[in-house]
Amino acid sequence: TGKQAIISAFNVSFAIKDSLEFVHRRFSFRPEPDPYCQAKYTFCPTGSPIPVMKDDDVIEVFRLQAPVWEFKYGDLLGHLKIMHDAIGFRSTLTEKNYTMEWYELFQLGNCTFPHLRPEMNAPFWCNQGAACFFEGIDDSHWKENGTLVLVATISGDMFNKMAKWVKQDNETGIYYETWTVQASPKKEAEKWFESYDCSKFVLRTYEKLAELGADFRKIETNYTRIFLYSGEPAYLGNETSIFGPTGNKTLALAIKKFYYPFKPHLSTKEFLLSLLQIFDAVVIHREFYLFYNFEYWFLPMKPPFIKITYEEIPLPNRKNRTLSGL
């Protein structure tokens, strides 16, 4: 098979995962970003601490969704159903509104593909994602081409407990992952790798609120997902074992060759050439190198190779209905 051929050529041993799905790794702290990593658009420019609400306050919870990069491209990506998700809150005591979202510190491209720096042997990743909380909800931004809809009402006490969870979640889940990788488009297909992005933060927050006793309305909620389709992934190693002094030079070169067409700041001519190179690697040669949990994996790609979906993931059911006596 293609996978066996590539592994044989690199002379590497590989491991197939034991369970149906890899778990996104949690970390004990968030590292300081490398100065090399620079955001084109400042992360969370108006961010503020999450306020402490009065326990008896009534907080409205809103589902927020708008096309990715709407501030630059309007509804263009909305037509492709490439959407960004966030959560809104409104205190009925103070009548103040708040927005909470989770996104990339250095934009999506940097989280998806590395930089190939001449002075470094290994690919260099500018990949972090984090929560951003700020006062106010930009109604026009969310309503014009997206969604601003009430999904639940919670108490101030529940909000405060959620805020403590957000802090812990934000400090331990620090890296963005664009791709969901599974064996086929079928719902029952084996899932190899799960994404970790803005929508997953919203879904985790909804689950936490349900755990705390929130009742969610019965409305349809869809989310953008970007899938890669492949056979069983093959484990290749980490940065040291591949790119270190005693690493596999053939494999190291192949990984860097794969990532080269994805480099930033291309001219139109370079971009078109890069698309051809990417098509050749992913579709013709059916190869993809994935960096996940600080490890490199080889994906033997198969049709339809890549797909963007906008699928329903229902709002959660209240978890402690019995315990609350309701």
Side-chain angles (χ1 to χ4, degrees):
T1 65
K3 179 179 73 177
Q4 291 170 331
I6 198 91
I7 296 300
S8 176
F10 296 146
N11 190 29
V12 295
S13 60
F14 64 96
I16 301 300
K17 61 194 289 300
D18 295 325
S19 59
L20 287 179
E21 185 179 331
F22 284 103
V23 176
H24 191 274
R25 184 180 297 169
R26 291 279 174 173
F27 295 83
S28 58
F29 68 96
R30 178 179 291 277
E32 285 294 322
D34 191 289
Y36 178 86
C37 301
Q38 296 294 320
K40 187 173 182 181
Y41 304 103
T42 303
F43 175 79
C44 203
T46 60
S48 61
I50 302 179
V52 176
M53 303 293 189
K54 290 186 176 181
D55 287 354
D56 60 349
D57 197 352
V58 176
I59 312 294
E60 294 176 324
V61 182
F62 297 92
R63 165 177 161 81
L64 307 178
Q65 189 177 74
V68 168
W69 297 327
E70 186 193 35
F71 66 93
K72 186 174 183 180
Y73 300 115
D75 193 31
L76 177 63
L77 294 176
H79 291 298
L80 301 175
K81 293 299 181 183
I82 302 177
M83 310 294 280
H84 173 65
D85 296 277
I87 305 176
F89 301 97
R90 178 182 177 273
S91 163
T92 55
L93 284 182
T94 66
E95 297 188 346
K96 288 185 176 180
N97 298 325
Y98 304 92
T99 299
M100 183 171 73
E101 54 189 343
W102 194 96
Y103 65 102
E104 326 88 72
L105 267 64
F106 309 109
Q107 280 75 65
L108 182 60
N110 281 317
C111 292
T112 310
F113 300 107
H115 292 256
L116 300 179
R117 299 171 63 178
E119 72 276 17
M120 292 185 172
N121 194 35
F124 182 82
W125 293 84
C126 288
N127 182 2
Q128 279 200 47
C132 172
F133 187 95
F134 56 93
E135 186 175 337
I137 296 176
D138 185 349
D139 288 18
S140 60
H141 168 69
W142 302 106
K143 283 182 177 179
E144 186 173 353
N145 297 307
T147 300
L148 193 165
V149 61
L150 180 70
V151 292
T153 302
I154 62 175
S155 68
D157 179 59
M158 290 164 63
F159 178 90
N160 295 334
K161 290 175 179 175
M162 177 211 70
K164 290 180 181 179
W165 170 85
V166 167
K167 184 176 185 295
Q168 182 271 335
D169 182 83
N170 192 50
E171 289 174 349
T172 60
I174 58 180
Y175 293 104
Y176 191 100
E177 178 53 53
T178 303
W179 313 107
T180 296
V181 185
Q182 61 184 48
S184 78
K186 295 179 180 178
K187 285 191 175 182
E188 67 273 16
E190 282 198 272
K191 188 176 293 177
W192 310 117
F193 299 94
E194 186 60 89
S195 60
Y196 197 86
D197 56 15
C198 62
S199 66
K200 288 301 170 67
F201 173 74
V202 168
L203 290 167
R204 288 197 305 278
T205 305
Y206 287 163
E207 285 290 341
K208 185 62 182 179
L209 288 174
E211 179 187 313
L212 293 170
D215 265 325
F216 284 88
R217 299 173 67 196
K218 303 300 181 185
I219 60 173
E220 183 175 332
T221 51
N222 290 35
Y223 301 89
T224 300
R225 303 181 79 188
I226 306 178
F227 286 91
L228 296 177
Y229 299 107
S230 89
E232 290 179 307
Y235 173 73
L236 300 176
N238 57 29
E239 180 178 307
T240 302
S241 66
I242 298 172
F243 300 97
T246 59
N248 188 319
K249 290 183 172 56
T250 304
L251 177 57
L253 184 62
I255 291 174
K256 289 196 285 187
K257 180 182 178 182
F258 172 79
Y259 283 132
Y260 183 79
F262 297 98
K263 63 183 183 295
H265 312 306
L266 298 175
S267 66
T268 302
K269 182 179 179 181
E270 289 173 327
F271 175 73
L272 294 174
L273 179 60
S274 292
L275 282 181
L276 291 176
Q277 293 173 320
I278 294 165
F279 180 85
D280 181 71
V282 176
V283 177
I284 304 301
H285 289 89
R286 304 194 174 193
E287 301 172 4
F288 196 99
Y289 292 93
L290 180 72
F291 188 61
Y292 195 91
N293 284 343
F294 287 90
E295 297 170 327
Y296 286 93
W297 295 81
F298 175 77
L299 306 181
M301 300 295 287
K302 59 184 185 180
F305 304 106
I306 183 171
K307 187 177 182 181
I308 298 173
T309 66
Y310 187 66
E311 58 189 40
E312 181 179 11
I313 302 177
L315 289 164
N317 294 318
R318 184 173 180 170
K319 298 294 191 295
N320 64 350
R321 185 179 300 276
T322 302
L323 293 176
S324 67
L326 297 177

